[in-house]
Amino acid sequence: MLEVCTVGIDLAKNVIQVHGIDANGKVVVRRQLRRSQFLAFFEEQPSCLIGMEACSGAHHWGRQLRKIGHDVRLMPPSYVKPYVKRGKTDAADAAAICEAVTRPSMRFVPVKSEAASAALVLHRARDFFVGQVTQTGNAIRAHMAEFGIVVAKGAKRVEDLASELDSLPEAARLPLQALFDQFVQTKARIDRLTAEIEEVHRQSEMSQRLASIPGVGVLTATAIAATTPDVSNFGSARDYAAWLGLTPKQHSTGGKPRSGGISKMGNRYIRRLLYLGAMAQIMVRRRRGPSTDWLSRKLDTKETKIVAIALANRMARTIFALLRDGTSYRTQIPAATPG
């Protein structure tokens, strides 16, 4: 068998498709492997470039393959799709991955460590429970409204409805009590996961540096530290903001530039956290009263949500600079007014 130089791997739960080429681009390997055969196959191969889509399980296999000496690179699936010739088969996908990983303009996803993957599991589980709290609270509000009982907006107000259970028909008490129990238990789970995330933050020097940025809290800092610890794949701060979907979507042709709303590409979770942090900054600024800084000037001329997106973009660029330089945020001191 000729020596394999580059390999494209299409991952699946039980069957893994391998497509390998030599230094001249000739296909030398095209086969399916079971999970139990996967590592044993690559232990017999010389060190080579391996490309995979950044999907479920890819980071695990990336760590395992790197341990045995291979150069592993993960790519966003949307960037690989244009290289698929025709049809949708595992073999065609593996061939497309093999070709895409060699492109000089390809963007790669860093292989996450086990600690980073564990931190992201904390975030995803917490976010899942937050959605359940909202869903359960809305169900409680809707059912109680059937009996003319309502409270003010806000998740904290939902617990006040528990005192009205005794006034309901007996048949409605049991299901509503079950919903209230789930509401309280889920909030307790959120608190436990939040405490775990705070512990991760205390142990991460990078996360603490990111949290020094105004509007970036513990959740945002730990999520970014686990997702994009290395920003060397991005040519500039704008590229990083564009990766998060915080830059305008372009519809330009024939020399006529047209910009629309933000692209909403990339990591939705981090983008949402940055937006919420920007909204918090805006609320604080409005409580402080009039000012002459950039944020206050924008709020005087633009809608609040537009300013929040612009501020989130600036926060993303600041995050890029801190990750690139390994520094902490320094508050800008306004220039002194000549007397």
Side-chain angles (χ1 to χ4, degrees), residues 232-243:
S232 59
N233 286 325
F234 303 99
S236 64
R238 189 188 186 283
D239 290 345
Y240 181 66
W243 177 75

Side-chain angles (χ1 to χ4, degrees), residues 131-173:
Q132 281 197 332
V133 164
T134 302
Q135 184 181 18
T136 306
N138 289 340
I140 291 173
R141 286 178 177 276
H143 297 323
M144 297 292 280
E146 292 291 331
F147 302 98
I149 302 173
V150 296
V151 292
K153 293 181 179 180
K156 295 181 180 180
R157 300 288 186 178
V158 174
E159 296 181 13
D160 298 339
L161 291 170
S163 60
E164 304 290 343
L165 283 176
D166 293 337
S167 63
L168 300 180
E170 185 174 353
R173 294 176 193 170

Side-chain angles (χ1 to χ4, degrees), residues 49 73-76 78-80 82-83 99-109 232-235 239 243:
L49 173 63
R73 300 181 186 179
L74 306 184
M75 299 165 288
S78 60
Y79 289 2
V80 176
Y83 294 93
E99 181 178 353
V101 75
T102 62
R103 297 299 91 194
S105 61
M106 179 55 63
R107 294 278 182 86
F108 298 104
V109 178
S232 59
N233 286 325
F234 303 99
D239 290 345
W243 177 75

Side-chain angles (χ1 to χ4, degrees), residues 84-278:
V84 178
K85 298 295 188 299
R86 177 179 291 181
K88 175 67 177 75
T89 64
D90 291 346
D93 290 346
I97 293 169
C98 185
E99 181 178 353
V101 75
T102 62
R103 297 299 91 194
S105 61
M106 179 55 63
R107 294 278 182 86
F108 298 104
V109 178
V111 177
K112 295 183 178 67
S113 64
E114 288 189 347
S117 295
L120 290 177
V121 169
L122 283 173
H123 278 272
R124 289 164 183 159
R126 183 187 179 278
D127 194 47
F128 175 77
F129 284 134
V130 169
Q132 281 197 332
V133 164
T134 302
Q135 184 181 18
T136 306
N138 289 340
I140 291 173
R141 286 178 177 276
H143 297 323
M144 297 292 280
E146 292 291 331
F147 302 98
I149 302 173
V150 296
V151 292
K153 293 181 179 180
K156 295 181 180 180
R157 300 288 186 178
V158 174
E159 296 181 13
D160 298 339
L161 291 170
S163 60
E164 304 290 343
L165 283 176
D166 293 337
S167 63
L168 300 180
E170 185 174 353
R173 294 176 193 170
L174 178 62
L176 279 168
Q177 185 62 61
L179 288 173
F180 275 112
D181 292 343
Q182 179 176 333
F183 184 83
V184 174
Q185 292 169 6
T186 306
K187 287 188 68 176
R189 293 190 180 102
I190 292 173
D191 293 338
R192 289 198 296 271
L193 292 178
T194 302
E196 288 293 325
I197 293 173
E198 291 173 349
E199 180 61 27
V200 171
H201 172 71
R202 285 191 289 270
Q203 296 177 3
S204 172
E205 180 268 341
M206 180 185 297
S207 178
Q208 293 177 26
R209 287 193 291 106
L210 292 175
S212 65
I213 302 173
V216 176
V218 172
L219 291 179
T220 309
T222 51
I224 292 173
T227 305
T228 53
D230 181 14
V231 293
S232 59
N233 286 325
F234 303 99
S236 64
R238 189 188 186 283
D239 290 345
Y240 181 66
W243 177 75
L244 292 173
L246 290 170
T247 53
K249 184 185 294 185
Q250 296 292 324
H251 299 276
S252 305
T253 183
K256 298 179 180 178
R258 295 176 57 192
S259 298
I262 59 172
S263 66
K264 299 184 180 179
M265 301 294 287
N267 194 308
R268 291 181 294 177
Y269 180 66
I270 294 178
R271 183 172 63 251
R272 173 156 54 90
L273 290 176
L274 289 175
Y275 172 77
L276 293 175

